[in-house]
Amino acid sequence: MAAYSSVVSKLEAAADIPEEARLASHHVKGRDGKTVKFRNPHPSAGGPPPSPLAMGPKIFWTVITGGMPWPNVSNVKMPVVKPNFLAGRTESTALRATWLGHACYFVEFPGGLRVLFDPVFEDRCAPTQWFGPKRYTPPPCPLSELPPVDAVVISHSHYDHLSHSSVQELAKRNPKAQFFVGLGLEKWFRSSGIANVTELDWWQDADLVLRKEADATAGKPGHAATDDNAGAPDTISARITCLPCQHSSGRTGADHDTTLWASWAVKSGGKSVWFGGDTGYRRVPKLPVGVDDYGPEYDSLPRCPQFRQIGELRGPFDLGLIPIGAYHPRWLFSYMHANPYDAVEIFKETRCKRAMGIHWGTWVLTSEDVEEPPRLLKEALRTSGIPETGVFDVCAVGETRAF
C-alpha cells in the first residue's frame, strides 16, 4: 500500500464570505469577549435551541400523550450490501460515494483522495452501549475493512455523528489521517489521543496536501509493487471548507452548544462534495394532523438563508449528501432536522448537481415510519418538478454510486 504524509494549511478568510460570518454572529461571547458557545443566527431556527434538560420533558410528554408513537422496526428490511471499494488509488475520473449508514459516507475522489464523513460504527448512538437508540440496520462492513483513510470530517458532536471508539480506531488504523472539526471540538479530539485535528469556523478554508512516501520494500525479494503503489499519484491535494448549517451540539447536559455544528465542502481531483451533516431549514409551528406546512399559508415561515449563500459562494457541487430523516413531529424537530421537502429546497439552494439522502435508515431517533423518508422524498421531488430518480436518490447501505 502507498503511504502518504500530509500537511494541513489554514487559509486566510476569503473576501467573499457573508457579512454575518465576518461579524461572527453565530458566536456567543462572554464578558471577557471570548466565545463561550454558538447559536443559529437566523429567524428560521426560531430562537436558541432548547437544552437537553428542556428537550427531554417535551419529548417525554409528547410520547405519553400519543403525539410521538414509536415506529415498529421488527419487520423493516433495509437492504444492506457489501461495499465495493476501489482496490487502489486510481486515476478514475468518477467520484465514488459509498453509504455506510445514517450520515456516514466514504467518498473516493478522482486523483486518489479518500474522505470519511461522520463515522459511527457502534450498535448504539449513545454515551454507553447499555442503552440508547439501537441499530436496526447493521453496518455493511466493520471499520477494519475500510481502505486507508486520508481525511475524516465531523459535522458536530451528537452521538449519532461522533463516536469516541470509532474515531479512536480510525486514528489507530490511519495514524496520518487528518480530522476536520468545527470550533471547540479540537480539545475533545486531543483528549481522546488524536493529534492530527484541525478545527475551523464557518466559511473558513483549509488546504490538505498528501505526498507519497518512499516504499522501503519496493524492489526487494518478496515485495513486489502492489497495484495501489503502481497507480498511486505522488501528490494529492484538497480544499476543505467549513460551512454553516442550522442545528445544535452537545454530548452532556453541561456542554450544550459549546462546540460548533457545521456542513462541509470538499473539493479534490476536479470534483466537489457538499456534506450537509445534520441540519434544519425552517421552524414549523404545531399544526393539525394532515396540514401541509409547505402550503401557501405557510410561505412566510422564515427559511435559513445560509444554504443559498453556500450555493452562490461555494457551489455548484457535483454531489450533495443531504439529510432526509428524523423529523417527526415537525413542531418539535423541524428547527434542527430537515424533512424530505426541506431537503429538496436545500438541494436546490446549495446548487448540487446530484444528491444522496442521509440521516435515515439506521437508528430510530424520531417517530416517523422509518421507511417514510424515501417515499416522501419522491413526493417532494415531484412537487418541485425534479425527476423522482437519477437526481436526488437513496441507496442500499453499503452501495456505491459514481458521479
Side-chain angles (χ1 to χ4, degrees), residues 51-370:
S51 70
L53 294 178
M55 195 74 163
K58 283 186 176 182
I59 293 174
F60 176 74
W61 181 251
T62 305
V63 169
I64 66 172
T65 56
M68 195 173 170
W70 224 236
N72 181 2
V73 297
S74 60
N75 294 317
V76 173
K77 300 294 183 184
M78 282 287 296
V80 180
V81 300
K82 187 173 179 61
N84 180 28
F85 303 117
L86 292 175
R89 299 177 188 268
T90 69
E91 293 295 334
S92 169
T93 59
L95 177 76
R96 301 176 83 253
T98 304
W99 188 34
L100 301 179
H102 200 55
C104 183
Y105 251 92
F106 184 85
V107 179
E108 299 163 291
F109 286 79
L113 182 74
R114 294 159 169 163
V115 180
L116 186 62
F117 295 92
D118 281 4
V120 180
F121 282 76
E122 282 71 24
D123 196 35
R124 298 182 188 270
C125 57
T128 173
Q129 290 300 294
W130 292 102
F131 64 90
K134 188 178 189 301
R135 281 183 183 268
Y136 59 86
T137 304
C141 67
L143 192 152
S144 60
E145 291 184 3
L146 295 181
V149 176
D150 303 311
V152 181
V153 175
I154 304 294
S155 64
H156 66 297
S157 66
H158 286 157
Y159 285 93
D160 56 325
H161 296 260
L162 175 57
S163 157
H164 185 262
S165 59
S166 288
V167 296
Q168 280 194 317
E169 184 177 348
L170 278 164
K172 182 178 180 180
R173 293 180 177 278
N174 302 271
K176 297 184 180 180
Q178 296 289 333
F179 290 76
F180 293 87
V181 303
L183 287 183
L185 265 177
E186 180 177 352
K187 181 179 179 181
W188 183 91
F189 272 80
R190 292 192 180 278
S191 70
S192 301
I194 298 172
N196 297 338
V197 56
T198 301
E199 67 173 27
L200 301 174
D201 199 357
W202 288 350
W203 299 100
Q204 190 172 8
D205 303 301
D207 280 343
L208 172 65
V209 178
L210 310 178
R211 289 186 174 87
K212 187 164 66 172
E213 297 177 333
D215 184 353
T217 65
K220 294 183 178 181
H223 292 280
T226 65
D227 290 341
D228 195 23
N229 278 333
D234 292 332
T235 303
I236 300 171
S237 60
R239 170 68 54 85
I240 297 176
T241 305
C242 181
L243 291 166
C245 66
Q246 182 172 290
H247 200 59
S248 182
S249 70
R251 295 175 74 79
T252 70
D255 66 346
H256 179 59
D257 291 352
T258 58
T259 61
L260 185 62
W261 49 96
S263 67
W264 293 83
V266 180
K267 298 185 178 183
S268 183
K271 294 287 187 177
S272 58
V273 171
W274 179 70
F275 174 62
D278 200 352
T279 186
Y281 181 64
R282 307 179 305 154
R283 185 142 207 167
V284 175
K286 196 169 188 177
L287 302 174
V289 175
V291 172
D292 178 11
D293 61 67
Y294 268 96
E297 63 269 43
Y298 300 107
D299 278 345
S300 61
L301 290 178
R303 302 186 180 205
C304 183
Q306 294 169 316
F307 303 107
R308 190 172 297 279
Q309 294 169 348
I310 289 169
E312 291 172 350
L313 299 177
R314 294 295 180 269
F317 301 98
D318 295 291
L319 173 64
L321 302 174
I322 303 178
I324 63 170
Y327 49 78
H328 187 80
R330 288 280 278 161
W331 67 270
L332 194 54
F333 294 106
S334 60
Y335 82 94
M336 66 184 300
H337 287 161
N339 80 349
Y341 279 86
D342 298 329
V344 169
E345 296 303 303
I346 291 170
F347 166 73
K348 294 186 293 186
E349 292 181 0
T350 52
R351 297 174 63 199
C352 294
K353 298 174 185 176
R354 300 273 299 281
M356 298 300 294
I358 63 171
H359 205 259
W360 75 284
T362 308
W363 291 288
V364 173
L365 301 175
T366 51
S367 67
E368 74 274 6
D369 180 82
V370 297

Side-chain angles (χ1 to χ4, degrees), residues 22-36:
R22 201 177 306 281
L23 296 173
S25 61
H26 56 296
H27 290 233
V28 178
K29 297 184 182 294
R31 291 182 179 179
D32 59 359
K34 295 181 179 179
T35 298
V36 295

Side-chain angles (χ1 to χ4, degrees), residues 1-16:
M1 291 290 183
Y4 286 83
S5 60
S6 60
V7 176
V8 178
S9 304
K10 288 186 182 181
L11 305 185
E12 295 295 326
D16 62 348

